[in-house]
């Protein structure tokens, strides 16, 4: 049951981070439930080797459906490493007997460990992918695999960095919290009097077109060069300014505000 | 506030499902011995 507690703690940490900031939401999450069910059954002692294939297929499909979301490719890499090692050992994760012995647990090879997905082995061609990294705390001792670490990293990337301007736009309740900077800064633009005419033109185009503003936030140089109707000729100084603004700004509002400040020379 | 709670709940379910489906750590504390012994796979 310790392992289920570990999963619950992971879920709790995920919930806390999601309270703070909204991640992009993956699709087809029923596939995850299908992938998880046989694995939970394995932990509870219901071991059906064939069901491991169901887990693998469902996990692969979920990753393919969501590979564009930040963090999912990392999760997919970790899952692939784990599942490769598990597939080699009939659906159970190998853990070396000598590593267990170092921690004070003595088992013979071939033993399936209660409340886990693990099988004790003397050695494995894929031992580098197996559970061999002990993490000891006062509360619990965990032996994890490189794949587990990748999955944790991928989930953190997903929770912390997957939010995009597009996902904000899809959520009006969140967009409500966007600062009113765009309209405020827009009023500060003074076309015709700026020492930066190209940036002025770009700022006015961006202020008039939210889609262009979002493209500018993602890749300002490309978006400025590739406007469908109005060509904006940027010189090297303009490009450097745009790159610097892009590095500082996290939202469209911040980007337009910074751009307006540059145009007005403030 | 309600949307945040729903968001947290959904994230918890997703993270829990990912962990259960793909992660395979070993948490050995209760030394009660194996419950099942099967043929040697290695």
């Amino acid at each position: 049951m310790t392992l289920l507690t570990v999963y619950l703690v992971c879920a709790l940490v995920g919930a806390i981070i999601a309270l703070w900031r909204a991640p992009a939401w993956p699709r087809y999450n029923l596939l995850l439930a299908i992938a998880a069910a046989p694995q939970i059954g394995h932990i509870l002692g219901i071991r059906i080797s064939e069901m491991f294939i169901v887990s693998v297929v469902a996990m692969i499909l979920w990753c393919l459906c969501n590979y564009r979301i930040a963090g999912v490719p990392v999760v997919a890499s970790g899952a692939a490493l784990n599942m490769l090692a598990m597939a080699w050992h009939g659906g159970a994760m190998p853990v070396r007997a000598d590593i267990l012995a170092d921690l004070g647990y003595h088992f013979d090879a071939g033993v399936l460990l209660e409340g886990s997905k693990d099988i004790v082995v003397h050695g494995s061609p894929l031992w580098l992918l197996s559970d061999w990294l002990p993490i000891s705390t006062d509360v619990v001792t965990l032996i994890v695999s490189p794949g587990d670490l990748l999955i944790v990293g991928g989930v953190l990337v997903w929770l912390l960095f997957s939010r995009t301007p597009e996902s904000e736009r899809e959520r009006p309740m969140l967009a409500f919290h966007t600062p009113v900077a765009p309209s405020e800064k827009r009023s500060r633009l003074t076309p015709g009097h700026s020492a930066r005419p190209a940036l002025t033109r770009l700022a006015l185009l961006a202020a008039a077109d939210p889609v262009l503003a979002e493209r500018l936030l993602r890749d300002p140089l490309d978006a400025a060069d590739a406007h469908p109707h109005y060509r904006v000729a940027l010189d090297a100084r303009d490009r450097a300014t745009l790159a610097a603004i892009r590095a500082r700004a996290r939202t469209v509002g911040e980007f337009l505000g910074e751009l307006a400040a540059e145009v007005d020379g403030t | 506030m309600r949307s945040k709670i729903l968001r947290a709940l959904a994230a918890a379910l997703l993270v829990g499902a990912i962990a259960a489906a793909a992660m395979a750590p070993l948490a050995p504390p209760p030394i009660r011995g194996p419950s099942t012994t099967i043929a040697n796979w290695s």
Side-chain angles (χ1 to χ4, degrees):
Chain A
M1 292 304 106
T2 313
L3 191 52
L4 291 179
T5 309
V6 170
Y7 293 156
L8 282 176
V9 169
C10 290
L12 188 62
V13 171
I16 291 169
I17 296 177
L19 269 178
W20 170 45
R21 51 187 296 145
W25 293 107
R27 299 176 299 164
Y28 307 112
N29 295 318
L30 185 60
L31 287 168
L32 267 187
I34 294 171
Q39 299 296 312
I40 293 172
H42 198 289
I43 294 167
L44 296 176
I46 307 165
R47 300 184 177 97
I48 306 168
S49 295
E50 291 76 15
M51 291 303 286
F52 175 69
I53 298 168
V54 174
S55 283
V56 172
V57 171
M59 196 69 205
I60 290 172
L61 287 176
W62 182 83
C63 291
L64 285 177
C65 291
N66 297 291
Y67 74 96
R68 289 179 189 276
I69 296 175
V72 170
V74 184
V75 170
S77 306
L81 295 184
N82 277 351
M83 287 178 163
L84 193 61
M86 293 170 78
W88 193 270
H89 292 275
M93 189 64 166
V95 57
R96 282 187 4 226
D98 59 317
I99 290 171
L100 287 172
D102 287 344
L103 295 169
Y105 302 91
H106 299 279
F107 294 105
D108 293 328
V111 168
L112 281 167
L113 298 177
E114 186 182 12
S116 78
K117 304 177 183 179
D118 287 62
I119 184 171
V120 182
V121 296
H122 278 315
S124 166
L126 300 177
W127 73 268
L128 267 175
L129 307 183
S130 71
D131 283 340
W132 64 276
L133 301 165
I135 299 173
S136 290
T137 67
D138 293 337
V139 182
V140 68
T141 297
L142 283 176
I143 307 173
V144 303
S145 65
D148 292 335
L149 297 180
L150 272 178
I151 291 165
V152 170
V155 168
L156 287 176
V157 169
W158 165 59
L159 287 169
L160 293 172
F161 303 114
S162 66
R163 189 171 57 171
T164 61
E166 286 81 3
S167 63
E168 282 181 11
R169 191 178 51 183
E170 286 165 6
R171 292 179 169 75
M173 290 181 71
L174 295 178
F176 177 76
H177 297 292
T178 302
V180 289
S183 56
E184 282 180 4
K185 302 293 183 184
R186 202 180 307 164
S187 65
R188 294 170 51 200
L189 292 172
T190 52
H193 299 283
S194 172
R196 315 291 295 274
L199 287 187
T200 303
R201 186 180 179 85
L202 193 62
L204 288 169
L205 288 171
D209 184 355
V211 175
L212 174 64
E214 284 183 5
R215 287 179 57 202
L216 279 171
L217 178 65
R218 285 201 300 271
D219 191 339
L221 301 182
D222 270 1
D225 284 338
H227 192 279
H229 305 300
Y230 305 102
R231 173 105 180 132
V232 181
L234 300 170
D235 59 22
R237 186 178 167 220
D238 293 333
R239 288 173 176 276
T241 303
L242 278 179
I245 293 173
R246 173 65 190 91
R248 291 194 298 269
R250 293 180 59 200
T251 65
V252 171
E254 289 177 12
F255 186 91
L256 288 180
E258 296 259 0
L259 186 55
E262 288 291 339
V263 165
D264 282 349
T266 55
Chain B
M1 189 61 196
R2 189 178 164 210
S3 69
K4 276 192 174 185
I5 292 170
L6 287 175
R7 189 170 79 200
L9 193 61
L13 284 172
L14 265 177
V15 174
I18 291 171
M23 288 176 68
L26 177 61
I31 306 180
R32 286 180 296 170
S35 62
T36 311
T37 304
I38 59 174
N40 195 342
W41 291 88
S42 55

